[in-house]
Amino acid sequence: MEIQDVQVFLAVAEELHFGRAAERLHLAQPPVSRSVRRLEEELGARLFERTTRSVRLTAEGEALRGPAQDMLEAHRRALLVVKAAGRGEVGLVRVAFAGASTHSMVGRLARQVRQDYPGIQIELHSQNFAMPALSKVLRGEMEIGFSRWDGAIPGLAARVVAHENLVVAVAASHRLAQRKTVRIEELAHEPFVSLPPYSGSVLIDRLRSLSHSAGFSADIVQVAPDTWTLLALVEAEVGCALTLTTVADNVSTPGVRFLRVTDHYEPIALRMAWREMGAKGAMATVLRLAERVLPTPTAG
């Protein structure tokens, strides 16, 4: 059943006049009559009763009107979807992100995608740590990853979306809890809790470098599986923890205080990463949108 024949049928069914239907479709009358005959032959039924003075739908023709309208609507939607896909406005983009402090940024991006490109489906996958999230991007299991790491990772392209600063989390009962700032050397005899020491773990690397610069080696007494457990250990007075200002801003723990680290260090870069081979379709659209929603911070 040709779409053009269906369009002709509906025009005649609405006008109940072959001449007016032809004018509406910008066709001559003979092609309109041929389209109707072709459709009747294909369906094996008469669709119109025709006399020299009138045209009316048969029962079969009346029954065809609803399905014919559905066919035209499905055809219209198919054209729109194909064109939208060609513009990168339809598709699935999977996003892996690590850490409680990243949730709000990823949420902002996902909301904007749904608002601007409702044909793009965003799947959010929370990971506990940076390296597993990035490994999924490299393996093609995720299109985009948000994480923190130092140095280049072969196969990944990336853009910085935020710079973060370091804080030390201490229990509300800690001797330094009333302070706003701290130097790492003041914690030389303190026990520490930390996240697992994955290769490339930024916080572990910063804790080691800062403590060594201060003349001691941090005593890590327990490893936590995630940020929430880490802060629970701090609140329980198991040890203090090096973490980020965005954790302090986004995770509420009444029994924990956060002290800004005043030692010199390189700010922590939160990056958005994707496979280096290039971005196409919906993924490229999301990356372009992210440049507006999560712009790279200016130096200083």
Side-chain angles (χ1 to χ4, degrees):
M1 194 178 294
E2 298 290 335
I3 288 295
Q4 185 175 0
D5 291 346
V6 174
Q7 290 173 326
V8 167
F9 163 75
L10 285 173
V12 176
E14 290 170 8
E15 298 290 343
L16 293 178
H17 193 285
F18 278 72
R20 287 196 299 270
E23 290 177 7
R24 173 173 157 182
L25 296 169
H26 306 291
L27 295 172
Q29 188 167 327
V32 170
S33 298
R34 285 196 297 271
S35 282
V36 170
R37 283 198 301 271
R38 190 162 50 239
L39 202 52
E40 289 178 326
E41 290 171 3
E42 184 176 351
L43 295 173
R46 292 194 67 184
L47 301 175
F48 297 97
E49 293 286 353
R50 287 160 276 197
T51 70
T52 55
R53 290 191 300 176
S54 68
V55 175
R56 67 180 181 86
L57 282 163
T58 63
E60 293 88 345
E62 192 64 53
L64 181 61
R65 289 185 72 170
Q69 289 165 346
D70 291 343
M71 285 182 63
L72 285 190
E73 178 59 23
H75 180 258
R76 186 189 69 82
R77 288 199 305 269
L79 290 176
L80 290 176
V81 166
V82 169
K83 290 177 181 178
R87 296 191 299 267
E89 297 176 2
V90 173
L92 171 66
V93 177
R94 298 161 296 180
V95 179
F97 59 100
S101 57
T102 313
H103 289 191
S104 62
M105 282 192 172
V106 173
R108 286 208 309 277
L109 178 60
R111 283 194 301 273
Q112 199 64 49
V113 170
R114 285 196 296 272
Q115 179 177 317
D116 291 4
Y117 302 101
I120 296 179
Q121 180 185 355
I122 293 286
E123 279 188 5
L124 303 181
H125 298 260
S126 179
Q127 311 290 311
N128 284 341
F129 306 108
M131 290 303 112
L134 296 179
S135 295
K136 289 187 175 184
V137 175
L138 283 168
R139 292 195 300 267
E141 297 173 14
M142 299 284 153
E143 280 68 49
I144 295 171
F146 284 84
S147 197
R148 304 164 187 83
W149 71 91
D150 289 327
I153 297 179
L156 283 184
R159 180 174 65 82
V160 175
V161 295
H163 286 126
E164 302 171 281
N165 293 312
L166 295 173
V167 293
V168 172
V170 300
S173 57
H174 193 276
R175 61 185 175 85
L176 300 175
Q178 303 308 310
R179 297 263 299 274
K180 298 294 184 184
T181 63
V182 68
R183 290 187 59 80
I184 292 296
E185 65 182 13
E186 297 179 84
L187 304 170
H189 302 293
E190 296 282 343
F192 279 83
V193 293
S194 78
L195 297 174
Y198 281 110
S199 174
S201 173
V202 172
L203 288 174
I204 289 288
D205 289 348
R206 291 295 193 279
L207 179 58
R208 287 172 177 158
S209 63
L210 286 171
S211 61
H212 289 168
S213 296
F216 71 100
S217 180
D219 179 20
I220 298 175
V221 297
Q222 192 165 337
V223 172
D226 53 55
T227 298
W228 291 272
T229 305
L230 183 80
L231 296 180
L233 292 172
V234 171
E235 188 171 18
E237 303 179 3
V238 174
C240 53
L242 187 68
T243 187
L244 301 163
T245 48
T246 44
V247 170
D249 294 338
N250 288 283
V251 182
S252 177
T253 307
V256 174
R257 303 290 182 269
F258 296 95
L259 316 179
R260 184 171 56 84
V261 174
T262 58
D263 302 64
H264 175 73
Y265 59 87
E266 289 296 321
I268 310 297
L270 173 62
R271 293 180 171 91
M272 182 180 188
W274 59 95
R275 293 175 78 184
E276 201 169 39
M277 63 180 60
K280 299 179 181 178
M283 178 181 166
T285 298
V286 172
L287 290 176
R288 286 195 300 271
L289 181 63
E291 291 179 0
R292 173 165 61 87
V293 178
L294 304 173
T296 298
T298 57

